[in-house]
Amino acid sequence: MTENIQSTEFDPEFDGTWEEEDFSTGDYERVERAALRRVAGLSTELEDITEVEYRQLRLERVVLVGVWTEGTAADSDASMAELARLAETAGSEVLEGVVQRRDKPDAATYIGSGKVAELRDVVQSTGADTVICDGELSPGQLRQLEEKLKVKVIDRTALILDIFAQHARSKEGKAQVELAQLQYLMPRLRGWGETLSRQAGGRAGGGNGGVGLRGPGETKIETDRRRIRARISKLRREIAAIGVIRETKRGRRTANEIPSIAIAGYTNAGKSSLLNALTGAGVLVEDALFATLDPTTRRALTPDGLAYTLTDTVGFVRHLPHQLVEAFRSTLEEVGQSDLLVHVVDGADGMPEKQVKAVREVLAEINDESGTPMPRELLVVNKIDAVGDLGMARLRHLFPDASFVSANSGLGIEELRVRIAELMPRPEVVVEALVPYARGEVVARVHRDGEVLSEKHTESGTLLNARVRPDLAGVLEEFATNGTPA
């Protein structure tokens, strides 16, 4: 293969064939996503039905709408730019954006009647088929906007849920996304005309109500709600069962006294890239928001040979929908139960301090509800290869205790390994033992799971002075030179 697939851009003339040499898990997932790619200006009609597997879908044309209620103009622009990236990630073409300055969103139409008329003209002139609002709309606001604009209207929450639905791969991830979608959909169910059963209240609803007024007594929308509630209950049971499996795996690592490190941070900050740089995991890396959702755990070694695990968690975003926080709670609790939190920040972002604040707010919410104290935090500023000298000076001023790396180029990765090793919990029991040469596996385990302070080869065996964990100290007890470990 002449070019590494990780740097391969999408080619409109792609013939559907890939070389499979040296593919990683992330490479295979990238191929799968490229097989059905949305491209601007293309028709969805197929001239040859045999092309169905690799067809290209026309992008949905959208107009963005935001309400600026607080903060500076730069904050409002950053929020709209992020909404545009979310829309593009979901497979849309952003045509135009409209922002209104208000003290609070309009209770009826989110942006007010005058702005709705202006927005309708923008939709008609651009030929847009969808309007995306930068906030969570109430069911009433959603209905009013669709009636007045005559196009599909969705909010920021629905957009993020759609991206999660596209990118979820594991059974747990799909169940968590479906649960969040159903919780969002429940209060927004609507039905008109033929979707309603005939029923009447009061005297008309009695036995003499007349022809056409005696119905089953339940609307279709109520039937849908009952089915959704049943499905939500089933999904909660499935997620709880999967959580037991995760607890079992975590329990094994805890029993073996293996330190665990969680990687958290804003979406597209480079968490998966950092995991690949530290462990060679080969997970999917893509310049897109919420490219990876399913947590990945990999084993790594400190420079002095101590083993630990790294877990990549789901990304965060400003105003992360509470449905997602609720559905992904079991996944996010990995952060609270780790020994060290590696908080990744996008150094190339215009306002990295806002990213840090958004992540810490969500983690604080989970911490308050679970009651588990948050682990020690190591702030890691990524993508410094895309930051100039002035930008680096600002970052060092904002985050004086952070580590500065580039997961893409490898700059600062070795220094980060040393920093992680310094902050990791170390073995606490000091033991001096004379291990016979016939028990070489014990010496190997001390090197792997403990910290060897000194080692000397004698006629009787290997004399070790090491710092180990309690379980390993019990194994070394029979070889201790002073009868018991220190």
Side-chain angles (χ1 to χ4, degrees):
M1 190 165 61
T2 58
E3 185 178 9
N4 189 298
I5 191 170
Q6 292 188 1
S7 61
T8 302
E9 297 295 333
F10 174 67
D11 184 359
E13 300 180 355
F14 173 62
D15 62 0
T17 59
W18 296 87
E19 296 293 335
E20 296 191 6
E21 300 175 1
D22 302 326
F23 263 31
S24 67
T25 304
D27 295 332
Y28 281 111
E29 189 170 344
R30 189 176 298 104
V31 171
E32 182 181 349
R33 292 188 183 182
L36 194 62
R37 183 65 65 109
R38 294 178 180 268
V39 179
L42 292 183
S43 172
T44 59
E45 297 297 327
L46 296 174
E47 296 180 0
D48 183 357
I49 198 169
T50 59
E51 300 173 1
V52 67
E53 185 177 359
Y54 295 105
R55 64 180 177 174
Q56 296 166 330
L57 304 183
R58 181 180 65 83
L59 290 173
E60 196 167 353
R61 298 160 62 86
V62 304
V63 172
L64 308 181
V65 181
V67 174
W68 173 17
T69 59
E70 59 183 4
T72 64
D75 294 334
S76 176
D77 292 342
S79 183
M80 290 296 288
E82 183 175 87
L83 185 67
R85 290 209 62 192
L86 287 168
E88 291 168 355
T89 301
S92 303
E93 179 186 4
V94 179
L95 302 178
E96 196 165 337
V98 178
V99 178
Q100 185 184 33
R101 184 73 169 94
R102 297 177 63 95
D103 293 333
K104 61 180 180 179
D106 183 69
T109 59
Y110 183 66
I111 54 175
S113 57
K115 205 67 174 180
V116 169
E118 179 184 336
L119 179 59
R120 183 172 58 247
D121 295 337
V122 172
V123 169
Q124 292 175 351
S125 63
T126 58
D129 44 36
T130 304
V131 170
I132 302 178
C133 297
D134 190 21
E136 184 166 334
L137 301 178
S138 68
Q141 290 172 329
L142 194 63
R143 182 173 62 253
Q144 288 273 4
L145 283 174
E146 286 190 342
E147 289 177 355
K148 296 178 183 299
L149 299 176
K150 307 301 181 184
V151 294
K152 181 176 66 176
V153 178
I154 64 174
D155 57 17
R156 182 188 180 94
T157 300
L159 178 62
I160 294 176
L161 289 173
D162 182 80
I163 296 173
F164 271 58
Q166 292 181 42
H167 293 172
R169 289 293 178 268
S170 68
K171 180 180 178 181
E172 181 182 19
K174 291 178 180 178
Q176 289 169 327
V177 172
E178 185 181 355
L179 174 60
Q181 288 178 318
L182 291 177
Q183 289 175 329
Y184 172 81
L185 178 63
M186 175 71 83
R188 292 170 175 80
L189 285 176
R190 290 171 289 171
W192 299 274
E194 67 275 4
T195 63
L196 297 177
S197 298
R198 293 187 180 97
Q199 61 178 0
R203 182 177 179 182
N208 298 323
V211 177
L213 294 180
R214 294 182 294 270
E218 183 180 40
T219 63
K220 181 179 182 299
I221 196 170
E222 289 171 342
T223 303
D224 291 341
R225 283 177 180 151
R226 189 174 67 250
R227 290 184 174 181
I228 289 176
R229 282 193 292 266
R231 181 61 180 166
I232 286 176
S233 298
K234 182 179 179 182
L235 288 171
R236 289 187 187 278
R237 290 194 299 270
E238 290 181 1
I239 293 173
I242 297 173
V244 172
I245 297 175
R246 185 190 293 109
E247 285 288 344
T248 302
K249 293 180 179 178
R250 187 188 300 124
R252 291 173 183 169
R253 295 196 296 267
T254 304
N256 293 330
E257 299 287 347
I258 300 177
S260 62
I261 297 176
I263 302 177
Y266 211 77
T267 179
N268 205 37
K271 299 183 299 299
S272 297
S273 298
L274 186 63
L275 180 69
N276 288 343
L278 291 172
T279 67
V283 298
L284 173 70
V285 173
E286 195 171 22
D287 186 16
L289 304 185
F290 301 113
T292 53
L293 301 180
D294 302 315
T296 302
T297 300
R298 292 292 184 269
R299 185 184 179 95
L301 296 175
T302 62
D304 55 354
L306 285 179
Y308 63 95
T309 60
L310 272 170
T311 301
D312 179 20
T313 60
V314 65
F316 297 83
V317 72
R318 296 183 187 94
H319 312 300
L320 188 68
H322 68 274
Q323 293 94 345
L324 283 175
V325 176
E326 172 67 24
F328 280 77
R329 185 171 304 281
S330 59
T331 300
L332 295 175
E333 284 177 355
E334 289 277 354
V335 175
Q337 298 183 7
S338 61
D339 296 306
L340 177 66
L341 170 61
V342 174
H343 183 170
V344 184
V345 185
D346 183 358
D349 186 79
M351 292 185 288
E353 64 276 15
K354 299 287 186 181
Q355 291 190 359
V356 174
K357 180 181 178 182
V359 172
R360 287 175 175 170
E361 285 177 352
V362 177
L363 292 177
E365 177 185 345
I366 298 172
N367 178 37
D368 291 341
E369 295 190 11
S370 65
T372 304
M374 294 303 295
R376 188 173 183 178
E377 180 187 78
L378 170 59
L379 208 61
V380 177
V381 180
N382 192 22
K383 304 183 183 180
I384 60 172
D385 53 339
V387 181
D389 294 339
L390 184 61
M392 281 299 301
R394 178 174 179 269
L395 289 172
R396 293 187 185 279
H397 175 72
L398 286 173
F399 313 116
D401 298 327
S403 294
F404 298 87
V405 304
S406 169
N408 184 40
S409 66
L411 183 64
I413 293 297
E414 292 306 318
E415 291 80 359
L416 177 60
R417 293 182 195 272
V418 175
R419 187 85 182 275
I420 290 175
E422 292 174 351
L423 297 177
M424 269 192 348
R426 311 296 291 188
E428 300 177 352
V429 181
V430 178
V431 62
E432 183 177 299
L434 181 62
V435 183
Y437 289 119
R439 300 298 302 276
E441 78 282 359
V442 176
V443 177
R445 184 179 173 185
V446 173
H447 279 276
R448 184 181 69 248
D449 300 335
E451 182 180 356
V452 177
L453 304 177
S454 65
E455 182 178 13
K456 182 179 180 181
H457 298 288
T458 67
E459 295 181 357
S460 304
T462 304
L463 181 61
L464 293 173
N465 187 355
R467 190 185 300 273
V468 297
R469 298 183 177 88
D471 61 324
L472 185 51
V475 175
L476 292 171
E477 184 174 356
E478 61 175 302
F479 308 117
T481 56
N482 56 352
T484 56

